[in-house]
């Protein structure tokens, strides 16, 4: 049976050059077996006429809120009730702003206000519009209300700029829709994950950091999301696009990372520490740039909080997963670390030169948990992430079952 057979999807289309991609998305959804109806805003119709979508879907396109004929056939309330999922692709900055304040001044916004179906948004806009605090506040508000935000991707944009704001490709959106309906091994499970490095400032222009690229953490966030988890990614400064459907919180220092994690712990079922958190930070941050006066300079450092250990030591801790980077005795040191931090599962990797680890696209991992383990050989980080995510899901359910028996 097709992946999306019998699923009723209302495809909302708002204004933006990415509208041409939603015509392809419509085809992909239909080919996957979904029943699709299309509602277009006035702005969307200035890019592509409803006729294109009508020809592809074989159904009339919904455009008017106050058209008696349209309302008599299938009005906004019927459409709102009919849909199992409302997917708005592309969603413009303007439409998100209207959604966030609950406006209902056209057909699509009225449907969104009247529905109890999940609403997924695939943003597409110029990078500055996406990064504008007004848009970001709307995204936060909509996420907090339970709307799903899929994308945007980073890359070259129609306006010639490069950065976040491209709509996810139709195939990626189809994957998201399929994952949404499939439920997945981690459906309904909240995961908080740290990734990347942290930066510990020395003065206004210098900092202490490390080589972590964030690739493993981001790949794992995407893999956990594909298993249906609600994923919050607390990211240090890295140059990576946010995985589709993942909520990202950017931080710089270990202390900021700890604060962001603690704010997300309510309702968290699984915590994964992938970040290479700086163990120490300068005791004092110079207010002005430090001048090179001495031949030898001493920096006094103090310990940063151990975010993973603190989460694991909480009263009712989530299932905790940690990483260990070792240059020798990988298994023994990692097991020691697992016990010392009292975490449920540890993923250890060797960081000796030419053996994977930081800044590379491939890696190998040794997984250890109470009473078991698994060796994952050298492979692409994306594949490794999928294997690790599956193991995390399996161990998480094993622990939950044990607690309930
Ligand atoms: N971690 C953390 N907060 C810190 C340090 C580490 O949350 N301040 C987490 C990392 O995200 C990772 C694990 O703890 O999951 C790594 O533990 P750590 O003891 O720092 O490992 P190594 O860096 O390998 O430690 P060491 O230098 O002691 O070998």
């Amino acid at each position: 049976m097709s992946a999306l057979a019998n699923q009723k999807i209302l495809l909302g289309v708002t204004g933006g050059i990415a509208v041409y991609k939603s015509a392809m998305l419509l085809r992909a959804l239909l080919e996957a077996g979904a029943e699709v109806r299309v509602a277009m805003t006035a702005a969307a119709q200035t890019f592509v006429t409803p006729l294109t979508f009508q020809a592809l879907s074989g159904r009339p396109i919904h455009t008017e809120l106050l058209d008696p004929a349209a309302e008599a056939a299938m009005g906004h309330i019927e459409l709102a009730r009919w849909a199992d999922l409302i997917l708005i692709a592309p969603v413009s900055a303007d439409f998100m702003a209207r959604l966030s304040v609950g406006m209902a001044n056209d057909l699509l916004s009225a449907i969104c206000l009247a529905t109890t179906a999940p609403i997924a948004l695939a943003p597409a806009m110029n990078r500055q519009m996406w990064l504008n605090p007004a848009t970001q506040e709307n995204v936060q508000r909509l996420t907090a209300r339970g709307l799903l935000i899929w994308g945007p991707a980073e890359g070259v944009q129609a306006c010639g700029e490069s950065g976040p704001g491209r709509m996810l490709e139709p195939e990626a959106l189809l994957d998201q829709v399929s994952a949404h309906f499939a439920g997945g091994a981690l459906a309904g499970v909240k995961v908080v994950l740290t990734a990347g490095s942290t930066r510990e400032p020395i003065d206004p222009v210098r900092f202490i950091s490390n080589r972590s690229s964030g690739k493993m953490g981001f790949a794992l966030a995407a893999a956990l999301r594909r298993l249906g988890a609600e994923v919050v990614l607390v990211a240090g400064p890295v140059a990576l696009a946010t995985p589709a459907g993942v909520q990202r919180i950017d931080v710089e220092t270990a202390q900021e990372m700890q604060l962001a994690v603690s704010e997300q712990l309510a309702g968290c079922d699984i915590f994964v520490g992938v970040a290479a958190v700086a163990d120490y930070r300068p005791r004092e941050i110079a207010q002005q740039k430090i001048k090179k006066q001495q031949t030898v300079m001493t920096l006094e450092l103090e310990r940063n909080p151990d975010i993973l250990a603190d989460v694991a030591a909480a009263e009712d801790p989530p299932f905790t997963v940690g990483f260990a980077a070792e240059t020798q005795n990988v298994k023994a040191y990692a097991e020691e670390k697992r016990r010392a931090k009292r975490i449920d599962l540890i993923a250890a990797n060797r960081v000796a030169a030419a053996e994977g680890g930081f800044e590379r696209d491939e890696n190998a991992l040794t997984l250890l948990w109470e009473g078991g383990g698994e060796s994952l050989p050298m492979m692409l980080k994306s594949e490794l992430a999928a294997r690790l995510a599956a193991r995390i899901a399996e161990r998480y359910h094993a622990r939950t079952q044990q607690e309930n028996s």
Side-chain angles (χ1 to χ4, degrees):
M1 194 164 79
S2 312
L4 298 178
N6 304 324
Q7 304 294 359
K8 298 190 186 77
I9 299 172
L10 181 90
L11 177 62
V13 186
T14 76
I17 188 64
V19 169
Y20 77 95
K21 286 198 210 171
S22 43
M24 292 188 269
L25 173 62
L26 169 61
R27 259 182 75 160
L29 291 169
L30 291 168
E31 277 167 14
E35 245 188 85
V36 189
R37 290 186 179 264
V38 181
M40 296 176 82
T41 63
Q45 295 168 58
T46 60
F47 287 88
V48 173
T49 63
L51 195 59
T52 306
F53 288 89
Q54 184 172 323
L56 288 170
S57 69
R59 286 180 181 279
I61 303 309
H62 306 272
T63 55
E64 303 302 324
L65 177 59
L66 300 173
D67 173 355
E71 284 288 299
M74 197 170 192
H76 65 285
I77 299 292
E78 280 83 2
L79 283 169
R81 285 194 192 129
W82 172 84
D84 294 320
L85 170 73
I86 295 179
L87 168 60
I88 307 182
V91 69
S92 62
D94 173 71
F95 197 81
M96 283 200 292
R98 288 200 277 133
L99 271 188
S100 89
V101 290
M103 286 175 73
N105 56 343
D106 64 4
L107 176 68
L108 188 55
S109 54
I111 292 172
C112 290
L113 212 55
T115 196
T116 53
I119 302 175
L121 306 176
M125 66 197 70
N126 160 273
R127 61 181 279 274
Q128 292 299 355
M129 290 175 81
W130 171 254
L131 294 172
N132 189 293
T135 305
Q136 288 303 309
E137 274 174 32
N138 290 333
V139 169
Q140 293 277 333
R141 202 179 303 165
L142 294 169
T143 308
R145 248 181 244 161
L147 276 76
L148 306 163
I149 312 281
W150 293 343
E154 288 198 29
V156 180
Q157 303 194 289
C159 53
E161 292 183 23
S162 191
R166 279 168 64 109
M167 188 173 95
L168 290 186
E169 294 303 320
E171 308 82 66
L173 285 171
L174 183 64
D175 280 354
Q176 290 288 328
V177 173
S178 305
H180 172 81
F181 285 113
L186 291 177
V189 172
K190 179 177 174 183
V191 177
V192 178
L193 184 145
T194 65
S197 60
T198 64
R199 277 184 187 168
E200 310 299 329
I202 298 170
D203 69 14
V205 296
R206 303 181 178 97
F207 54 80
I208 297 176
S209 192
N210 59 62
R211 288 181 186 277
S212 172
S213 64
K215 281 181 185 165
M216 189 66 217
F218 274 57
L220 188 56
L224 290 162
R225 174 72 201 129
R226 277 196 294 273
L227 293 182
E230 175 201 339
V231 182
V232 180
L233 170 62
V234 182
V238 295
L240 294 172
T242 312
V246 166
Q247 186 196 340
R248 173 173 176 174
I249 302 172
D250 285 317
V251 297
E252 275 210 21
T253 66
Q255 286 174 303
E256 284 171 16
M257 188 173 270
Q258 187 184 41
L259 182 67
V261 166
S262 67
E263 285 173 353
Q264 288 297 327
L265 275 186
C268 167
D269 303 293
I270 300 177
F271 174 79
V272 191
V274 196
V277 185
D279 290 319
Y280 295 90
R281 65 173 180 271
R283 188 179 284 274
E284 272 169 32
I285 304 170
Q287 292 308 307
Q288 305 300 334
K289 189 176 166 215
I290 300 171
K291 290 291 185 191
K292 48 179 178 304
Q293 281 155 349
Q294 306 110 310
T295 42
V296 175
M297 181 185 159
T298 308
L299 256 187
E300 209 180 343
L301 304 178
E302 61 187 351
R303 276 294 281 271
N304 264 330
D306 189 319
I307 302 167
L308 175 62
D310 287 353
V311 170
E315 202 174 308
D316 183 17
F319 182 87
T320 46
V321 182
F323 273 68
E326 309 291 350
T327 53
Q328 54 174 341
N329 294 339
V330 178
K331 220 169 156 174
Y333 282 153
E335 181 58 13
E336 216 175 280
K337 217 165 266 178
R338 190 184 74 77
R339 286 174 185 277
K341 295 200 189 196
R342 298 172 57 200
I343 54 181
D344 296 290
L345 193 159
I346 197 156
N349 67 328
R350 192 186 286 275
V351 286
E355 287 193 63
F358 292 156
E359 291 180 325
R360 296 173 57 112
D361 290 326
E362 288 194 322
N363 204 358
L365 288 175
T366 303
L367 311 184
L368 299 167
W369 59 88
E370 189 67 46
E374 181 183 15
S375 229
L376 299 174
M378 190 65 74
M379 61 183 104
L380 280 176
K381 281 183 178 172
S382 52
E383 290 171 39
L384 198 59
R387 299 275 297 271
L388 176 54
R391 179 60 72 185
I392 290 173
E394 186 258 333
R395 294 317 307 161
Y396 163 73
H397 288 300
R399 194 189 88 165
T400 315
Q401 235 169 30
Q402 219 172 32
E403 282 172 355
N404 294 340
S405 63

